Amino acid sequence: SLEDYEETVKKAKEAWKVWADIPAPKRGEIVRQIGDALRQKIKVLGSLVSLEMGKIFVEGVGEVQEYVDVCDYAVGLSRMIGGPILPSERPGHALIEQWNPVGLVGIITAFNFPVAVYGWNSAIAMICGNACLWKGAPTTSLVSVAVTKIIAKVLEDNKVPGAVCSLVCGGADIGMAMARDERMDLLSFTGSTKVGKQVALMVQERFGRSLLELGGNNAIIVFEDADLNLVIPSALFAAVGTAGQRCTTARRLFLHESIHDEVVTKLAKAYAQVRIGDPWDSDTLYGPLHTKEAVKMFLDAVEQAKQQGGSVVYGGKVINRPGNYVEPTIVTGLPHNAPIVHTETFAPILYVLKFKEEEEVFAWNNEVKQGLSSSIFTKDLGRIFRWLGPKGSDCGIVNVNIPTSGAEIGGAFGGEKHTGGGRESGSDSWKLYMRRST
């Protein structure tokens, strides 16, 4: 309730006073212990992610592993945060850039990565000297509670208040309270572009800081010289992994006209081999969608794709079994600018589109509102560097000869345009969790 929220914010603010006084390398040591505690429970926690979210067991475990990895990363970072000492133009003066924690970081995460996204934010926010207030997705609250209990034990064993990593389980009313609350020194929000826009406006209204990780409408571009042995498994993994419920899922596949038909045939064959079943079964590659609403969105999108001139060459239907299962789906024949192609449907639907020239397909990659992840398959070195350059992909993540999905914790993760411009995890994204004094 809002009363619980009020109490939690007060406790978190109090706990921050203790946490901010602990030297950064010592904070790093405590974060290292959190990583170890997660390591010990990785299988049971991965199981819980799979049970509550619906992703396959190995993906659940992999997600906890990302939190463990970012804890390791944060430990090193806790000894490396620094600003320059600059030459002062005034005699006998020193000019220093000092970094300090912002204070309390609010972290609102989405159902599809109920552990990893919190981990990326909290591990780095913590070594920077911030307290965290987490609101997980209402549909994955067991995962939020389990993770918070693991962290709380580590904090309390180190004689640090558990409220340094506080948790609120609630709905949109709590999320709105966080967005409007001046006591949230930074609000990190992961979710849809539509909700992200509302959050951003509320935070901006109070001149607060936000870090946004929103939608993606990611494309893979396959040129005529591409290695198709790489393309088929990559496109399959990027489009059907997590049943299409990743922000980095491939939703558009641009094929050079000379290889279009061959790739579609091979891809449909590969789709037919995807093992669909219980996410806890080690043979399963593809589990259910998260909710009944997601199934409805899937069916609506397939219908719209047909109305706009597309042909379903694989899938397109609900699977007749208990749970929110739908067939992984391939649609061909749509123009690059069809309205449904420009819509992010959080489901396993891949729109396959034809192109002739490099210049046009780079433009088509960039013409959607989102700018998260992108990939090309080619052996042409000149083309690769054009793709990475100023007139290439306008996305935050730019891949060559690998899928759009998946990310490394060492690099800053995030995207441009309607993806929100935020960056989490590696590189210099720690600066977002701090304020600079000159």
Side-chain angles (χ1 to χ4, degrees), residues 20-320:
D21 280 340
I22 296 172
K26 177 73 178 121
R27 296 193 295 251
E29 163 56 21
I30 293 170
V31 170
R32 185 193 67 74
Q33 292 172 32
I34 290 170
D36 275 353
L38 291 161
R39 264 189 190 94
Q40 283 159 23
K41 300 241 172 39
I42 193 162
K43 289 209 163 131
V44 66
L45 206 47
S47 236
L48 182 58
V49 170
S50 185
L51 177 71
E52 202 174 22
M53 185 270 155
K55 62 173 62 171
I56 60 174
F57 172 67
V58 289
E59 285 187 357
V61 171
E63 184 179 336
V64 183
Q65 184 64 49
E66 280 188 41
Y67 193 168
V68 170
D69 291 344
V70 85
C71 285
D72 287 349
Y73 179 88
V75 180
L77 193 58
S78 69
R79 293 180 179 272
M80 292 166 64
I81 290 170
I85 298 175
L86 300 156
S88 172
E89 62 189 45
R90 293 169 289 185
H93 285 67
L95 185 59
I96 298 169
E97 282 191 0
Q98 164 84 22
W99 290 90
N100 285 305
V102 291
L104 179 57
V105 176
I107 304 167
I108 299 177
T109 61
F111 75 85
N112 62 331
F113 281 89
V115 175
V117 173
Y118 175 66
W120 292 353
N121 280 276
S122 66
I124 294 186
M126 284 176 79
I127 61 105
C128 290
N130 300 296
C132 299
L133 178 67
W134 180 20
K135 185 187 110 53
T139 51
T140 56
S141 49
L142 294 178
V143 171
S144 307
V145 170
V147 169
T148 299
K149 284 194 166 184
I150 292 167
I151 296 168
K153 183 171 185 325
V154 174
L155 292 172
E156 284 154 13
D157 286 351
N158 282 279
K159 310 281 186 286
V160 171
V164 166
C165 288
S166 293
L167 171 70
V168 280
C169 292
D173 57 336
I174 303 293
M176 288 196 9
M178 289 172 77
R180 292 204 168 106
D181 194 338
E182 301 243 335
R183 295 167 297 181
M184 294 291 135
D185 299 293
L186 168 69
L187 187 65
S188 173
F189 174 87
T190 302
S192 70
T193 296
K194 187 173 152 232
V195 179
K197 196 177 203 174
Q198 295 169 328
V199 168
L201 289 168
M202 287 177 208
V203 175
Q204 185 54 48
E205 199 167 34
R206 60 177 173 84
F207 287 112
R209 279 203 206 186
S210 59
L211 192 171
L212 303 170
E213 294 286 354
L214 312 175
N217 191 346
N218 315 298
I220 293 177
I221 301 170
V222 184
F223 286 91
E224 63 275 25
D225 65 341
D227 179 349
L228 297 191
N229 293 326
L230 284 179
V231 170
I232 303 303
S234 295
L236 178 85
F237 174 74
V240 312
T242 326
Q245 298 167 112
R246 291 174 177 234
C247 48
T248 52
T249 293
R251 310 208 178 273
R252 300 176 294 150
L253 177 62
F254 290 107
L255 301 174
H256 189 268
E257 56 182 15
S258 64
I259 53 164
H260 176 277
D261 296 357
E262 183 190 354
V263 172
V264 170
T265 305
K266 285 183 168 163
L267 195 57
K269 247 186 211 144
Y271 266 52
Q273 290 163 31
V274 171
R275 295 189 301 278
I276 299 169
D278 182 335
W280 270 2
D281 186 333
S282 60
D283 276 349
T284 301
L285 281 176
Y286 174 97
L289 291 177
H290 186 54
T291 58
K292 293 265 177 287
E293 290 76 36
V295 176
K296 187 182 177 308
M297 284 184 340
F298 165 84
L299 289 170
D300 289 351
V302 170
E303 203 40 55
Q304 287 177 50
K306 288 179 188 165
Q307 284 167 9
Q308 290 168 28
S311 308
V312 175
V313 294
Y314 192 90
K317 296 189 287 297
V318 170
I319 298 172
N320 183 19

Side-chain angles (χ1 to χ4, degrees), residues 312-352:
V312 175
V313 294
Y314 192 90
K317 296 189 287 297
V318 170
I319 298 172
N320 183 19
R321 58 172 293 161
N324 305 315
Y325 286 85
V326 301
E327 294 173 340
T329 299
I330 303 170
V331 177
T332 59
L334 284 165
H336 66 93
N337 55 358
I340 193 65
V341 173
H342 281 234
T343 306
E344 182 195 23
T345 305
F346 223 58
I349 305 171
L350 183 65
Y351 303 111
V352 181

